[in-house]
Amino acid sequence: MPATTKSRSTKKKAAPVAAAAKGNSQLQEFFMDALKDIYWAEKKLTKTLPKLQKGATTQELKNAIEEHLSQTQEHVSRIEEAFQMMGKKAQAKKCEAMEGLVKEGESILEETERGSMTRDAGIIAAAQKVEHYEIATYGTLVTLAKTMGENDVAELLAQTLEEEKQTDQTLTGIAESGINWEAEQEESDEGEEGEEEEEEE
């Protein structure tokens, strides 16, 4: 009588259960929160950049700010498109970081002399702080979108990331083209007051 052979199990191993359904992961919640944050920030900039442009001294800087304002309006539209691609309604959440950077930029207009190169140097410094914040934010968003498999969203936001980097380089070029050097030649009011006090003594 032939020996009985054990039947081999034909059951396939069960696929690992996803930690969370697509669209509800903690990472996506974090991503959406960051997207709301930068959405508010970009919309805030569309109101702030015209003030900086009006306060700028050189035409070169005015033109650069005007061009970036146009780009910023496009950035707002891209974020709205990203929300749509993610199946979400576009919502803004107050960005405390951008609020602080904007206030710093506005204080520079108050503290520097109209028509001076020092004012332009200050505006460029404030604008580049904004650019660096945006570069960091968009860089993170692009990486996270890729991680979640949202490659179309990543590609969309990567366009904005490259434009922010280019703007930062443009501002550096303007500053180094002569504005910083001319600003250094300008006498401060404090220096003049100090000289007057010495003469009185």
Side-chain angles (χ1 to χ4, degrees):
M1 190 175 183
T4 305
T5 56
K6 290 182 181 179
S7 60
R8 291 181 181 177
S9 174
T10 56
K11 269 188 177 181
K12 291 182 179 179
K13 289 184 179 179
V17 179
K22 180 176 171 60
N24 293 323
S25 72
Q26 290 185 37
L27 183 62
Q28 188 176 73
E29 287 178 7
F30 177 80
F31 177 88
M32 296 308 301
D33 196 57
L35 198 61
K36 292 174 184 177
D37 205 64
I38 197 65
Y39 185 42
W40 186 94
E42 294 284 25
K43 291 178 78 172
K44 179 71 173 179
L45 283 177
T46 61
K47 299 175 182 177
T48 303
L49 288 173
K51 297 178 186 177
L52 296 180
Q53 182 189 25
K54 185 178 179 181
T57 300
T58 61
Q59 191 60 46
E60 186 179 15
L61 181 56
K62 286 178 182 287
N63 292 343
I65 295 173
E66 183 178 6
E67 181 180 351
H68 192 54
L69 173 59
S70 178
Q71 284 184 336
T72 301
Q73 291 165 341
E74 178 62 26
H75 297 169
V76 170
S77 298
R78 283 188 194 142
I79 293 172
E80 290 170 347
E81 187 177 347
F83 273 110
Q84 187 176 14
M85 292 166 75
M86 299 285 290
K88 305 288 185 180
K89 180 182 177 182
Q91 289 181 306
K93 174 187 173 185
K94 185 175 181 179
C95 176
E96 300 293 344
M98 185 59 73
E99 176 80 356
L101 290 170
V102 164
K103 284 182 179 178
E104 183 176 342
E106 291 174 345
S107 71
I108 286 171
L109 294 179
E110 295 171 2
E111 297 167 6
T112 54
E113 184 180 334
R114 178 180 291 276
S116 68
M117 289 301 176
T118 299
R119 170 173 283 196
D120 272 13
I123 289 174
I124 290 172
Q128 287 194 291
K129 287 183 182 182
V130 169
E131 291 308 312
H132 294 172
Y133 173 76
E134 290 185 307
I135 288 168
T137 300
Y138 281 112
T140 298
L141 287 171
V142 168
T143 300
L144 293 181
K146 289 178 180 177
T147 301
M148 297 185 299
E150 299 288 351
N151 295 324
D152 289 343
V153 174
E155 186 177 342
L156 180 69
L157 297 178
Q159 295 177 46
T160 298
L161 175 60
E162 289 308 310
E163 288 172 358
E164 300 291 9
K165 289 179 180 178
Q166 183 57 52
T167 297
D168 183 48
Q169 291 174 3
T170 298
L171 290 170
T172 295
I174 294 172
E176 294 178 345
S177 68
I179 287 176
N180 285 354
W181 184 85
E182 290 184 51
E184 199 275 332
Q185 307 304 310
E186 294 174 337
E187 293 184 5
S188 71
D189 293 336
E190 289 182 6
E192 291 174 1
E193 288 174 4
E195 289 175 6
E196 288 175 4
E197 288 175 2
E198 287 177 5
E199 287 174 4
E200 288 175 2
E201 290 174 0

